[in-house]
């Protein structure tokens, strides 16, 4: 269990944590993602510390401590603007602690004083071989926390690694045990998978390992991962935004859905997506964004998409979702091999959209300058369905003719087009 030479320069806040702990007589090491990144030649991002100190001893050394998981031996130390997760050793020493970790790439520690990496489980060699491998028996590591099955697939996708055969088998065996894991934890890990650069590889592994069957039985494809290939390829073609990538996955809720034939509002698909995402504890805001993207995305790639029609789509879908709706349509058609001119026409539509949205307060300009009270006063109406109908007609008019959305012009339009018969006779 010897160390290997390396060089890691933690941020000043992390150095401060290590220094205070060691000055107080405690052992302290950098562990986790930062060491893994160093070994893989990446810029370290996450900074975690493992120490021989207890949570109460850690808390006594720092003025600002958040007891995020104190009963499990972890606290968060806040220095200036940075949070550093500090955990007590699992066991009596750093060696015991590393033996309890899930993957060999995560079972390394950096000794700042010695300037070396402690690597008792061969994490460096596995990194060089491009393998993600479990510490010890893979089946035992998965049994300790079945969420590690999802985390393993996610890490392999993020880091461009292959799953060790023993680990792959253990992940498959752990699928049924996911029922024991809180849905919030599953959802967080699945969203991280959706956000990797090309998620289709990881998503295929979820299907092949039966994890997808446990998480999203609605997408179960009868054991034939190839039947979902167009769906997963759609996700690869989209920007890494959570609601948008969720929308790509939710296309599979309707087995009969085909981008080549579907057009118009997708009300049933949006409704199913809401149900699934609520079950997975996705936030209400992201659930609604995903549902709106799905509802509006099956627009016709054929023209004419004049400015008025496009403004109507912007207003109906909302600025947060309209671009993603078009992107989803374009990606899904591209994934199923639609003619190139169809895909290109949607690219042109995106350019038009972005030009309109570049205008300051674009959505605000699409709302009529006259409200319901002004309409009732001008036309002598009482509150009722008729007022709602007029407001809808007025909204449609200003979307089609933006220059109409001026107070005097809109009043004139109302009086000319929408006067009651009695008013018309008195003028």
């Amino acid at each position: 269990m010897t160390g290997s030479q390396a060089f890691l320069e933690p941020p000043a806040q992390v150095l401060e944590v290590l220094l205070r702990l060691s000055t107080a007589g405690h052992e302290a090491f950098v562990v986790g993602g930062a060491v893994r990144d160093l070994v893989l030649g990446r810029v370290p991002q996450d900074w975690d510390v493992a120490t021989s100190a207890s949570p109460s001893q850690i808390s006594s050394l720092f003025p600002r401590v958040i007891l995020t998981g104190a009963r499990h031996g972890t606290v968060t130390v806040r220095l200036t603007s940075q949070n550093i997760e500090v955990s007590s050793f699992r066991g009596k020493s750093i060696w015991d602690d590393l033996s309890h970790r899930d993957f060999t790439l995560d079972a390394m520690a950096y000794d700042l004083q010695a300037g070396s990496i402690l690597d008792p489980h061969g994490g460096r060699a596995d990194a060089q071989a491009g393998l993600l491998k479990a510490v010890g028996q893979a089946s035992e590591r998965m049994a300790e926390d079945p969420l590690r099955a999802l985390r393993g697939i996610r890490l392999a996708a993020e880091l461009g690694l292959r799953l060790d055969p023993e680990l792959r088998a253990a992940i498959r065996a752990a699928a049924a045990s996911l029922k024991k894991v809180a849905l919030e934890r599953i959802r967080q890990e699945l969203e991280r998978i959706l956000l990797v650069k090309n998620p289709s590889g990881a998503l295929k592994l979820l299907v092949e390992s039966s994890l997808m069957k446990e998480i999203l039985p609605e997408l179960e494809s009868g054991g034939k991962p190839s039947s979902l290939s167009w769906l997963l390829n759609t996700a690869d073609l989209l920007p890494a935004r959570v609601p948008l990538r969720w929308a790509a996955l939710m296309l599979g809720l309707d087995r009969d859905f085909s981008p080549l034939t579907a057009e118009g509002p997708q009300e049933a698909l949006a409704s199913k997506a809401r149900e699934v995402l609520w079950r997975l504890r996705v936030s209400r805001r992201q659930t609604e964004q995903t549902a709106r993207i799905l509802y509006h995305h099956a627009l016709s790639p054929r023209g004419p998409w004049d400015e008025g029609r496009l403004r109507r789509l912007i207003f109906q879908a909302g600025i947060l979702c309209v671009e993603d709706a078009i992107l989803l349509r374009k990606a899904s058609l591209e994934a199923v091999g639609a003619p190139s001119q169809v895909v290109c026409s949607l690219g042109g539509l995106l350019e038009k959209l972005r030009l309109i949205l570049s205008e300051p307060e674009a959505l605000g300009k699409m709302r009529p300058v006259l409200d319901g009270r002004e309409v009732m006063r001008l036309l002598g109406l009482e509150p009722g369905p008729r007022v709602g109908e007029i407001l809808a007609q007025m909204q449609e008019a200003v979307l089609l003719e933006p220059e109409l959305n001026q107070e005097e012009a809109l009043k004139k339009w109302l009086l000319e087009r929408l006067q009651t018969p009695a008013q018309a006779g008195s003028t």
Side-chain angles (χ1 to χ4, degrees):
M1 294 190 293
T2 59
S4 49
Q5 293 304 117
F7 179 73
L8 183 65
E9 187 174 0
Q13 296 92 331
V14 179
L15 288 172
E16 178 69 15
V17 169
L18 295 169
L19 179 61
R20 288 199 198 184
L21 287 166
S22 61
T23 301
H26 306 294
E27 293 183 278
F29 302 86
V30 176
V31 293
V35 187
R36 182 180 68 227
D37 288 338
L38 174 66
V39 167
L40 292 170
R42 297 156 57 102
V43 177
Q45 301 292 330
D46 300 322
W47 296 91
D48 300 328
V49 171
T51 179
S52 58
S54 67
S56 60
Q57 290 172 323
I58 299 167
S59 299
S60 69
L61 295 173
F62 301 94
R64 300 177 67 190
V65 173
I66 306 168
L67 302 178
T68 44
R71 69 177 189 169
H72 300 297
T74 300
V75 299
T76 299
V77 174
R78 185 163 181 80
L79 291 176
T80 60
S81 61
Q82 183 159 353
N83 290 338
I84 302 110
E85 195 171 272
V86 183
S87 301
S88 302
F89 291 157
R90 286 172 281 186
K92 296 181 179 179
S93 68
I94 186 62
W95 307 105
D96 290 337
D97 182 88
L98 297 178
S99 69
H100 283 88
R101 294 179 180 262
D102 45 12
F103 307 112
T104 59
L105 272 176
D106 286 331
M108 297 181 287
Y110 185 75
D111 184 341
L112 185 66
Q113 292 182 335
S116 63
I117 291 176
L118 308 181
D119 182 19
H121 302 284
R124 253 185 165 170
D126 290 336
Q128 291 172 354
L131 277 180
L132 186 70
K133 192 173 181 180
V135 172
Q137 295 293 320
S139 57
E140 292 179 6
R141 300 291 80 77
M142 297 303 104
E144 289 167 354
D145 183 358
L147 189 70
R148 287 173 170 173
L150 275 176
R151 186 170 185 269
I153 288 176
R154 189 256 302 170
L155 280 176
E158 282 183 346
L159 304 174
L161 303 174
R162 293 174 288 112
L163 293 175
D164 171 69
E166 182 186 344
L167 176 58
R168 183 188 288 265
I171 286 174
R172 184 176 182 85
S177 298
L178 272 181
K179 293 183 177 71
K180 305 174 185 177
V181 180
L183 284 171
E184 289 83 357
R185 297 181 69 210
I186 291 174
R187 184 259 305 160
Q188 289 171 357
E189 203 61 61
L190 186 54
E191 286 184 343
R192 294 183 73 176
I193 288 173
L194 286 173
L195 290 179
V196 300
K197 185 176 180 180
N198 294 302
S200 63
L203 293 170
K204 287 175 185 175
L205 281 175
L206 291 180
V207 175
E208 293 167 358
S209 62
S210 296
L211 292 173
M212 188 70 85
K213 182 179 178 179
E214 298 297 330
I215 301 167
L216 284 167
E218 299 89 347
L219 297 181
E220 171 58 20
S221 58
K224 296 179 181 178
S226 60
S227 63
L228 283 176
S229 60
W230 78 268
L231 184 70
L232 307 186
N233 291 338
T234 296
D236 280 352
L237 294 168
L238 293 168
R241 293 196 284 272
V242 171
L244 182 54
R245 291 274 176 89
W246 268 128
L249 200 56
M250 294 297 102
L251 288 174
L253 294 176
D254 183 353
R255 294 190 187 186
D256 297 324
F257 180 86
S258 169
L260 293 172
T261 57
E263 284 190 11
Q266 300 296 302
E267 187 172 353
L269 190 57
S271 179
K272 287 180 184 178
R274 284 189 181 93
E275 292 177 10
V276 171
L277 297 176
W278 285 338
R279 176 175 62 77
L280 290 174
R281 307 294 194 269
V282 175
S283 73
R284 184 169 294 276
R285 176 176 171 272
Q286 288 191 345
T287 294
E288 189 55 33
Q289 281 185 249
T290 298
R292 289 177 69 83
I293 291 167
L294 286 167
Y295 181 88
H296 291 284
H297 91 282
L299 45 90
S300 172
R302 298 181 294 275
W305 273 96
D306 55 34
E307 187 170 318
R309 188 179 174 196
L310 188 50
R311 285 177 178 275
R312 186 190 299 119
L313 176 64
I314 295 169
F315 190 81
Q316 292 170 343
I319 283 181
L320 288 177
C321 299
V322 63
E323 181 173 343
D324 284 352
I326 299 175
L327 284 168
L328 179 61
R329 183 62 162 170
K330 180 174 180 289
S332 64
L333 285 167
E334 190 173 350
V336 296
S340 59
Q341 62 267 29
V342 172
V343 176
C344 289
S345 70
L346 287 165
L349 183 58
L350 274 173
E351 291 180 9
K352 289 182 182 179
L353 171 77
R354 288 165 178 161
L355 182 62
I356 292 175
L357 293 182
S358 67
E359 301 173 12
E361 301 180 5
L363 190 58
K365 291 181 178 179
M366 296 179 201
R367 294 192 179 96
V369 294
L370 301 181
D371 59 17
R373 289 183 180 180
E374 187 66 16
V375 168
M376 288 188 290
R377 186 194 66 76
L378 193 64
L379 299 180
L381 296 174
E382 296 294 326
R386 176 61 177 153
V387 177
E389 293 171 5
I390 292 172
L391 289 173
Q393 293 176 47
M394 185 169 63
Q395 177 65 78
E396 182 78 1
V398 299
L399 289 172
L400 293 173
E401 301 180 57
E403 64 277 6
L404 184 64
N405 202 18
Q406 305 291 330
E407 185 173 348
E408 292 306 317
L410 202 51
K411 284 180 178 179
K412 182 180 179 182
W413 181 88
L414 278 169
L415 291 171
E416 290 177 351
R417 303 286 185 87
L418 298 172
Q419 281 182 326
T420 65
Q423 288 172 318
S426 63
T427 56

